[in-house]
Amino acid sequence: MKFGAIAGGEKSTVDSAFQILENGGNAFDAAVGAVFTSMISETTLTGAGGGGAFLACPVNCDPTLFDFFVDTPPPQNEKDLDFFSIQVDFGPSQQEFHIGQGSVAIPGNTAGLLMVHKRLGQLPLKAVLAPSIIAARSGVIINEAQAYLIKILEPILTHSQAGLDLFRPNGELLNHGDYFQNPAFADFLEILVHEGARYFYEGDGADLILKTFEEKGLITRECLASYGVVERIPLKTGFSGKTIYTNPPPSSGGVLITFLLKLMDQTETGSVSEFINLVKAMRVTSKARREICHNAQDTSQISQVQDPNTFNHYLKLFNSGFNNISNEVDPPSRGATTHVSILDKQGNAASVTTTNGEGCGYVIPEMGIMLNNMLGEEDLNPMGFHLWTRQQRLPTMMAPTVVMGKKGVELVLGSGGSNRLRSAISQVIINFFVKSMDLKTAVHAARIHLEGNVLHFEPDIQLEDLPGDLQLHSWDDQNLFFGGVNAVTPDDAWGDLRRGGSGLLR
């Protein structure tokens, strides 16, 4: 490849990364620029006021996981919060989301992306942000996937007047084929070029955040100023002769993916089909998460599944058959998340997942930014809302992942999908390395997802003899419910069509 392999959630996102590579940037420049562009092209999924995780694998260097997911603000128990539920209609079902000023966690995307660029980028920030500034000012064409999300999330996107101005610019809700423009966000990006993250966390940008969220929210000047990006050693594990690097605790996603793959790798049930083993592994993985994570104040609990004795306990359960494995439904979440995977010609790999939740409902007009609603996400707060006692990193299911062989990087991937992203990523890894599918087939092959005792499955899944307590939920088409894996290899790149994804190899 002359420049690199890129996969993202939308064509404009991918094109911006290619432009940066073409201009002499590396994978880290391109990934940072692509994510800022995705805040326009995939505005329902991510934003400067959200959180994320960036797995950076520089060639001939140890990988680093930049954790810039959101923090919980310090508790203010007596405060009257603007925190309320809203029903979103998904057609076959409705789902309740919690939004408002009191749903906003301390955002990390802006600080994290600028830190990655400062540490690992090689182009000036002005050049890295140029494509996203142009996209915000000139507009991007809304694709079918984004149009669907804008339609179903309309009550959240248009809750404030500034949101109405953005998403109903002429009195009509933006639709497939329309241009989405956000000139205030372009102005914000130009300020970042000159002032950096300090503007957002301590300067005039922080004043604008507090103006919108301080009265009936939990964001304070002190918690914004004290937010910090955390550099972590990635979780490292073996699978099928390869080495997997992914997001470590307090993230639960990477731990649960590697836990499931390890179960599959060490199964003793050789006479049982791979399909049955996968369903069983999903059930055991959910059971382990539920049994181990029961204290909202201890974000490191999930790491217990890595303990050999704990793993062996669940491995025995896995090998014992379905009858001994009870399950309960995971907290509901649709997963407003997106992912970018890049491998450049030098061999640098970048895997970055970001999210804004569904958004809190309030757009800051001067910056064109809607902050997150992570404090209202049930999957992130399974024991209830506003229970923390201090400022701390919220656990996330995000799992930017890189798989290496003896000669270097063989697969870079990640996904949106909240609690479904772990099943999506696991299945693509199994498809590629165990079933020997090419990358396109591995990404687009029909998937399953076990949610409690309900097995969701896409068309073309060949069902086998399953336990009678499992309910089956067939989907007529491939759907964004099953995640959105965007993946690259040294000679291929594919975005997941379930979420309007795009891939480019040049």
Side-chain angles (χ1 to χ4, degrees):
M1 59 186 173
K2 185 177 180 182
F3 297 106
I6 310 160
E10 198 270 346
K11 186 178 183 298
S12 299
T13 303
V14 170
D15 287 345
S16 69
F18 172 68
Q19 182 180 331
I20 292 166
L21 290 179
E22 194 177 31
N23 289 338
N26 60 19
F28 313 114
D29 291 312
V32 169
V35 173
F36 275 112
T37 299
S38 73
M39 295 172 186
I40 299 297
S41 60
E42 304 167 61
T43 189
T44 60
L45 301 178
T46 188
F54 194 122
L55 178 58
C57 297
V59 65
N60 299 324
C61 294
D62 290 335
T64 300
L65 190 289
F66 293 86
D67 176 355
F68 45 91
F69 199 58
V70 300
D71 274 359
T72 60
Q76 301 174 52
N77 296 328
E78 303 304 317
K79 195 165 190 179
D80 179 25
L81 296 179
D82 174 51
F83 184 78
F84 57 96
S85 64
I86 193 166
Q87 291 288 331
V88 172
D89 187 359
F90 286 90
S93 64
Q94 287 194 330
Q95 187 171 329
E96 184 179 51
F97 293 103
H98 294 83
I99 64 170
Q101 297 172 34
S103 72
V104 179
I106 306 166
N109 276 344
T110 299
L113 293 167
L114 294 187
M115 175 178 277
V116 171
H117 171 260
K118 185 176 181 179
R119 287 281 312 278
L120 298 173
Q122 58 190 35
L123 285 182
L125 184 60
K126 182 177 181 180
V128 169
L129 294 186
S132 51
I133 292 171
I134 292 170
R137 210 171 288 289
S138 302
V140 297
I141 298 175
I142 296 172
N143 67 12
E144 190 174 353
Q146 279 298 304
Y148 169 73
L149 289 167
I150 289 172
K151 180 179 179 181
I152 63 174
L153 296 176
E154 179 185 3
I156 298 173
L157 299 176
T158 61
H159 180 70
S160 66
Q161 182 59 50
L164 278 168
D165 294 341
L166 276 177
F167 295 99
R168 280 184 166 271
N170 300 307
E172 296 290 331
L173 189 68
L174 292 173
N175 206 344
H176 183 204
D178 291 340
Y179 271 89
F180 174 64
Q181 296 173 289
N182 192 342
F185 186 65
D187 294 341
F188 166 75
L189 294 176
E190 289 176 340
I191 293 172
L192 288 188
V193 170
H194 300 288
E195 298 189 29
R198 185 185 178 281
Y199 168 79
F200 191 73
Y201 292 90
E202 299 179 64
D204 292 344
D207 292 339
L208 294 172
I209 292 171
L210 294 170
K211 176 183 173 183
T212 304
F213 296 101
E214 190 172 34
E215 182 180 356
K216 290 195 173 183
L218 294 165
I219 298 292
T220 65
R221 187 174 300 278
E222 292 73 24
C223 72
L224 274 174
S226 64
Y227 180 85
V229 180
V230 182
E231 296 182 43
R232 305 188 191 277
I233 298 173
L235 178 61
K236 179 182 178 182
T237 190
F239 174 72
S240 194
K242 310 297 179 182
T243 300
I244 296 177
Y245 294 93
T246 189
N247 202 1
S251 163
S252 52
V255 176
L256 294 174
I257 287 169
T258 56
F259 179 85
L260 183 147
L261 292 174
K262 195 173 177 182
L263 287 176
M264 296 287 289
D265 220 19
Q266 298 189 25
T267 177
E268 296 173 0
T269 53
S271 60
V272 176
S273 76
E274 192 171 82
F275 172 80
I276 297 295
N277 278 335
L278 179 58
V279 177
K280 286 171 59 182
M282 288 179 174
R283 183 175 265 196
V284 172
T285 301
S286 291
K287 181 179 176 66
R289 180 195 185 196
R290 189 176 69 253
E291 292 179 345
I292 288 173
C293 298
H294 48 75
N295 181 358
Q297 310 307 324
D298 185 357
T299 59
S300 64
Q301 286 177 319
I302 193 64
S303 62
Q304 293 176 31
V305 302
Q306 300 169 271
D307 175 78
N309 290 331
T310 302
F311 175 79
N312 286 334
H313 164 73
Y314 287 106
L315 180 62
K316 288 179 182 176
L317 194 62
F318 173 71
N319 287 323
S320 68
F322 271 109
N323 293 336
N324 299 315
I325 313 169
S326 62
N327 204 3
E328 295 176 13
V329 68
D330 283 324
S333 180
R334 288 281 166 172
T337 309
T338 190
H339 181 84
V340 174
S341 294
I342 301 179
L343 185 61
D344 67 23
K345 63 182 180 182
Q346 288 86 18
N348 299 301
S351 181
V352 53
T353 311
T354 60
T355 183
N356 202 35
E358 286 72 38
C360 68
Y362 294 89
V363 173
I364 303 172
E366 298 89 345
M367 296 193 287
I369 294 171
M370 179 182 288
L371 298 192
N372 67 83
N373 70 322
M374 300 304 183
L375 304 185
E377 288 277 302
E378 288 189 51
D379 192 48
L380 299 178
N381 303 272
M383 285 157 274
F385 300 120
H386 303 131
L387 295 181
W388 62 89
T389 58
R390 66 188 188 283
Q391 182 170 337
Q392 64 185 41
R393 192 64 36 101
L394 266 180
T396 171
M397 201 61 72
M398 288 179 182
T401 301
V402 173
V403 185
M404 293 192 183
K406 293 180 180 178
K407 296 183 179 181
V409 175
E410 294 190 11
L411 179 64
V412 184
L413 77 165
S415 178
S418 191
N419 56 45
R420 277 104 50 214
L421 70 78
R422 67 180 192 257
S423 61
I425 292 172
S426 300
Q427 286 172 87
V428 172
I429 291 174
I430 290 167
N431 289 345
F432 190 75
F433 289 108
V434 178
K435 298 183 179 180
S436 300
M437 295 180 184
D438 61 74
L439 186 62
K440 178 182 179 181
T441 307
V443 168
H444 294 141
R447 293 185 196 138
I448 64 172
H449 176 73
L450 185 66
E451 192 125 344
N453 286 326
V454 180
L455 182 67
H456 297 263
F457 60 97
E458 293 183 313
D460 299 326
I461 288 290
Q462 300 299 311
L463 295 176
E464 300 182 25
D465 189 20
L466 293 164
D469 68 325
L470 274 185
Q471 301 174 39
L472 301 178
H473 185 288
S474 63
W475 291 71
D476 295 334
D477 302 292
Q478 291 198 338
N479 189 277
L480 56 80
F481 174 86
F482 292 88
V485 178
N486 302 317
V488 301
T489 68
D491 53 14
D492 213 350
W494 287 96
D496 200 326
L497 297 178
R498 294 171 180 83
R499 294 190 172 213
S502 178
L504 184 64
L505 179 72
R506 290 281 178 86

